[in-house]
């Protein structure tokens, strides 16, 4: 297993690249496997790095990517440590969820 420093050095650059890939299918797969990744890297890296990318997937231009990420909101928030759930959810996930919901109701 990798320590946090190795994860940040070795895995996060690849993840960042995939999460912003030109192909919606690549972004869809990141959204689809996001919870597994979150569990693998732990709460500190999730808070410091993954929250930004998760909310980005919720705002993706492709509906399939947004839907896949939206289906993971409950698990994503539940997997956060209780002491940081509110500070992550309120300023990050909730606005992205509002944006996602607005796109669904305007169809």
């Amino acid at each position: 297993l990798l320590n946090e420093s190795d994860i940040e050095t070795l895995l996060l650059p690849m993840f960042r690249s995939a999460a912003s890939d030109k192909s919606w299918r690549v972004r869809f797969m990141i959204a689809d496997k996001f919870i597994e990744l979150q569990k693998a890297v732990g709460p500190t890296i999730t808070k410091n790095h993954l929250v930004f990318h998760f909310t980005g997937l919720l705002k993706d231009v492709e509906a399939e990517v947004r839907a896949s990420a939206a289906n993971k909101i409950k698990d994503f928030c539940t997997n956060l440590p209780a002491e940081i759930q509110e500070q992550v959810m309120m300023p990050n996930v909730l606005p992205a969820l509002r944006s996602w919901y607005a796109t669904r109701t305007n169809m």
Side-chain angles (χ1 to χ4, degrees):
L1 297 183
L2 299 174
N3 61 38
E4 285 185 12
S5 176
D6 289 341
I7 290 170
E8 288 177 348
T9 304
L10 301 172
L11 293 180
L12 285 179
M14 184 175 44
F15 171 78
R16 285 185 193 108
S17 176
S20 61
D21 196 274
K22 291 179 186 177
S23 172
W24 71 267
R25 289 178 179 91
V26 173
R27 297 189 314 272
F28 175 84
M29 290 309 300
I30 291 292
D32 189 54
K33 301 297 182 187
F34 206 92
I35 302 306
E36 294 170 41
L37 177 67
Q38 178 190 20
K39 289 178 181 178
V41 300
T44 303
I45 291 178
T46 295
K47 179 185 174 193
N48 294 338
H49 300 283
L50 298 189
V51 170
F52 172 78
H53 295 290
F54 185 71
T55 57
L57 293 169
L58 287 169
K59 299 175 188 177
D60 197 274
V61 296
E62 290 294 331
E64 292 87 350
V65 176
R66 290 191 308 267
S68 182
N71 285 330
K72 307 287 187 283
I73 290 174
K74 178 181 177 274
D75 291 333
F76 178 78
C77 294
T78 302
N79 289 333
L80 293 169
E83 62 272 8
I84 67 166
Q85 283 180 348
E86 187 173 332
Q87 80 183 91
V88 168
M89 290 169 25
M90 298 307 277
N92 298 294
V93 177
L94 192 58
L97 182 58
R98 283 188 188 128
S99 174
W100 176 80
Y101 182 74
T103 63
R104 301 231 346 128
T105 58
N106 291 331
M107 293 181 163

